[in-house]
Amino acid sequence: MSNMEEIYFKDEAREKLFNGVNKLERAVASTFGPDGSTVILTDDYGKSHATKDGVSVARAINFKDPIENIGAQMIKEVAERTVDQAGDGTTTSIILANAFINNLKDFKPRDVVKAFDEIIPKVIEQLKLNSRELKLEDIKHVASISANNDIQIGNIIQQAYDHSRIVKVEKSNNLIDTVEFIEGMSLPVSYFSKHFITDPKKAECNFDEVNVLLLDGKLENLKNFEAPIKAVAEKNESLVIITEHISENILRLIETNVLSNGCKFCVIKAPGFAQHRKDLLQDLAKFTKATLIKDFSKPLTTSCLGKLKSLKVTKNASTLVKAEGIDVDELVADLNILKLHDLEDYDKELVQQRIENLTGKISIIKVGGGSELEMIERYDRYDDAVKATQCALEEGIVMGAGMALANVGMSISETTEITTAIITAIYEPCNKIFEHGSKLTTNDMFELNIIDPLKVTRCALENAVSVAKTILTTNAVVLNERLWT
């Protein structure tokens, strides 16, 4: 028997979507800012805990009315997208999305889209002009604010960045949080397939004690690679294959082994281009003690495999931690001599990049806790705060407490009715902070180190606009019976 559908048209559909967004925003916004309130959440077993984490509140909310729930789920997706991109800004994106929807729901949809397309680029450009570079010694302030104003977390992240620009967060069995410093490198390459992800929430692949298969070329046939790959799988060990390219059918075959057989495999792209790629592969061979495979016509054994202490692959980068007992000092000395030769500036930069890769340091924050629940909650806050810090180092910082957007709103000169509605919505995060009791002036923020990463504010704004456009231009909702019966 086919499924039945219930169709909700314009006014009823939009009103229910708006209600879902409004209800979710009220709960999440109550946590906003240093003086925000806690929200008590209960799990499926009736256990409860209090939190001030906006995204945790959002994730816990589901409504009985299916259309209201669709509105809430759409806003939740915006929050998740923002935290994935920038590590913070989830509550800001929800507040902005709700404000845009409420302020613009009586305008014609095409006028709303046109106004957004005209105004938002100007807002983002002004945010960039008002931003400042993040000083190394100010990292603790960005990190503390991202971690729900936890100064201890901010200080530990500051300690980690004082040692290295590459910071990794791990769980531990200790009661307290610690920082370790080890040798490793970060490469701007990612996995070839999302099926290699081991942590879906963060879209990451994480392995410890990793075997390395290093290829100079394109992987288009597995015939001569079967022995080392099979040996790793039989021992239930992890394997990373680093290659310039992988054919579609071979990628599907490896994915099948991961999904169906539980193999701990990941394939990542070889870094660099042309001759620089070949140089980096030679460096990786030294760094991992792997044999760099150039001839794919001969059967291989496990002796070709190298080692890493750990591997973390995200959507944008891979962090490789060197295994114990591997020495790259001789190669680094040779590269330092090469740098003294009569090279073009560009070539000198590439050599310097190779040296930095080989001699790189990684700070590892080991997150502890009195219980597994506490450790997991703190781990998430650390991880998001490190991501927010990295965003601030990349794009700079702006005034916090919603003031960056408020200041931009004051600088926009357009005064049409629809423009005024958009600008009024942009003030809403700042308004919420003041509603919750914070007493700050526009000149306090940088002085008081109340700062946000520009990227966090930008992503929150862009994602809020995106979902507001979708909901405000919705004319009907077709609901499958499985969702409402």
Side-chain angles (χ1 to χ4, degrees):
M1 186 175 71
S2 63
N3 291 322
M4 296 171 57
E5 281 82 28
E6 182 82 0
I7 303 176
Y8 292 80
F9 288 103
K10 187 174 180 180
D11 290 341
E12 186 178 11
R14 281 160 56 94
E15 192 61 35
K16 285 180 175 287
L17 288 173
F18 296 163
N19 286 342
V21 173
N22 267 311
K23 288 179 182 178
L24 182 134
E25 191 267 356
R26 284 178 61 192
V28 173
S30 67
T31 69
F32 194 46
D35 297 311
S37 305
T38 56
V39 174
I40 296 176
L41 306 179
T42 57
D43 62 19
D44 293 339
Y45 303 99
K47 292 183 179 179
S48 61
H49 71 280
T51 183
K52 265 195 65 184
D53 181 40
V55 73
S56 297
V57 175
R59 287 171 181 157
I61 292 175
N62 290 286
F63 297 125
K64 289 181 180 179
D65 185 289
I67 306 299
E68 288 187 0
N69 203 47
I70 289 172
Q73 297 304 320
M74 291 175 73
I75 296 297
K76 279 199 256 188
E77 288 174 14
V78 167
E80 295 286 359
R81 196 181 318 145
T82 302
V83 80
D84 284 345
Q85 293 169 341
D88 200 3
T90 53
T91 305
T92 300
S93 61
I94 290 172
I95 290 171
L96 284 170
N98 186 61
F100 285 138
I101 290 166
N102 284 328
N103 286 14
L104 298 167
K105 61 186 178 183
D106 295 328
F107 292 93
K108 292 181 180 178
R110 69 181 178 191
D111 292 339
V112 168
V113 173
K114 182 181 178 183
F116 271 138
D117 291 346
E118 288 177 356
I119 293 299
I120 298 304
K122 295 178 182 178
V123 172
I124 292 171
E125 184 59 31
Q126 192 60 48
L127 281 171
K128 292 177 180 178
L129 291 173
N130 293 347
S131 67
R132 297 183 184 180
E133 183 179 353
L134 176 64
K135 297 177 183 177
L136 188 62
E137 62 268 23
D138 289 336
I139 281 174
K140 57 182 173 290
H141 304 301
V142 170
S144 296
I145 291 169
S146 177
N148 289 341
N149 297 290
D150 191 316
I151 296 172
Q152 181 189 359
I153 288 179
N155 286 334
I156 288 179
I157 291 176
Q158 178 75 64
Q159 183 184 348
Y161 273 98
D162 285 343
H163 182 81
S164 170
R165 289 290 289 267
I166 305 172
V167 177
K168 187 178 176 185
V169 183
E170 293 182 355
K171 300 169 186 174
S172 78
N173 295 321
N174 296 326
L175 289 174
I176 60 172
D177 308 330
T178 58
V179 185
E180 294 180 4
F181 308 115
I182 58 173
E183 294 178 312
M185 69 168 72
S186 181
L187 301 173
V189 294
S190 185
Y191 36 69
F192 276 97
S193 167
K194 65 181 181 180
H195 295 301
F196 299 136
I197 290 171
T198 61
D199 184 345
K201 180 182 171 185
K202 300 188 181 300
E204 295 175 355
C205 174
N206 291 291
F207 290 146
D208 291 321
E209 304 301 331
V210 194
N211 294 281
V212 181
L213 182 58
L214 192 58
L215 309 180
D216 184 1
K218 301 177 181 180
L219 183 57
E220 298 177 330
N221 193 315
L222 282 182
K223 180 180 178 181
N224 292 316
F225 298 91
E226 288 179 354
I229 293 175
K230 185 177 180 181
V232 170
E234 287 177 346
K235 293 179 182 178
N236 196 31
E237 295 179 352
S238 56
L239 171 71
V240 60
I241 302 173
I242 304 175
T243 182
E244 174 188 342
H245 178 74
I246 183 169
S247 67
E248 194 72 19
N249 62 316
I250 298 301
L251 182 60
R252 297 288 89 81
L253 180 60
I254 295 175
E255 286 175 341
T256 299
N257 276 282
V258 171
L259 297 172
S260 301
N261 302 326
C263 294
K264 295 185 285 190
F265 296 160
C266 184
V267 186
I268 67 173
K269 187 171 179 60
F273 298 93
Q275 183 58 44
H276 185 48
R277 174 190 286 135
K278 294 185 179 297
D279 292 338
L280 290 175
L281 286 171
Q282 293 285 359
D283 295 346
L284 281 168
K286 287 283 187 182
F287 190 83
T288 62
K289 271 196 173 178
T291 302
L292 179 57
I293 309 301
K294 299 180 180 180
D295 183 357
F296 292 10
S297 66
K298 299 176 182 178
L300 299 171
T301 66
T302 55
S303 63
C304 72
L305 297 175
K307 284 285 185 182
L308 287 169
K309 184 175 181 180
S310 69
L311 171 75
K312 175 179 178 178
V313 187
T314 70
K315 289 183 286 188
N316 303 309
S318 298
T319 302
L320 292 68
V321 177
K322 191 168 69 175
E324 292 181 9
I326 294 178
D327 188 353
V328 295
D329 290 349
E330 186 177 344
L331 175 57
V332 171
D334 290 342
L335 290 173
N336 277 314
I337 293 171
L338 177 61
K339 200 169 64 169
L340 299 175
H341 292 181
D342 187 19
L343 300 174
E344 298 289 337
D345 289 344
Y346 176 72
D347 292 326
K348 282 186 178 180
E349 287 177 12
L350 293 180
V351 173
Q352 181 60 32
Q353 182 188 108
R354 293 173 62 192
I355 293 170
E356 290 173 359
N357 279 342
L358 291 164
T359 60
K361 304 293 182 184
I362 296 177
S363 296
I364 299 185
I365 299 172
K366 301 271 192 177
V367 183
S371 66
E372 184 177 3
L373 185 66
E374 180 188 354
M375 181 267 291
I376 291 171
E377 191 270 340
R378 288 180 64 77
Y379 171 86
D380 286 341
R381 284 200 283 151
Y382 266 108
D383 204 52
D384 288 345
V386 166
K387 187 181 289 184
T389 299
Q390 197 58 44
C391 289
L393 289 168
E394 290 170 9
E395 294 191 16
I397 54 175
V398 293
M399 289 186 178
M403 199 61 72
L405 288 168
N407 284 343
V408 170
M410 292 182 223
S411 70
I412 300 295
S413 58
E414 288 87 346
T415 56
T416 64
E417 187 178 359
I418 195 166
T419 299
T420 300
I422 292 174
I423 297 303
T424 302
I426 287 174
Y427 280 91
E428 195 58 22
C430 182
N431 292 340
K432 293 289 185 189
I433 295 284
F434 279 80
E435 283 176 18
H436 293 165
S438 296
K439 304 295 183 185
L440 300 168
T441 69
T442 56
N443 297 321
D444 286 332
M445 302 305 152
F446 283 123
E447 265 184 54
L448 295 176
N449 293 307
I450 299 174
I451 49 181
D452 288 329
L454 166 62
K455 187 173 181 180
V456 168
T457 303
R458 177 177 62 77
C459 289
L461 177 63
E462 290 173 342
N463 291 329
V465 168
S466 175
V467 75
K469 281 183 180 179
T470 301
I471 291 177
L472 288 167
T473 56
T474 294
N475 194 50
V477 175
V478 180
L479 191 67
N480 188 287
E481 69 167 353
R482 288 176 299 176
L483 297 177
W484 60 276
T485 57

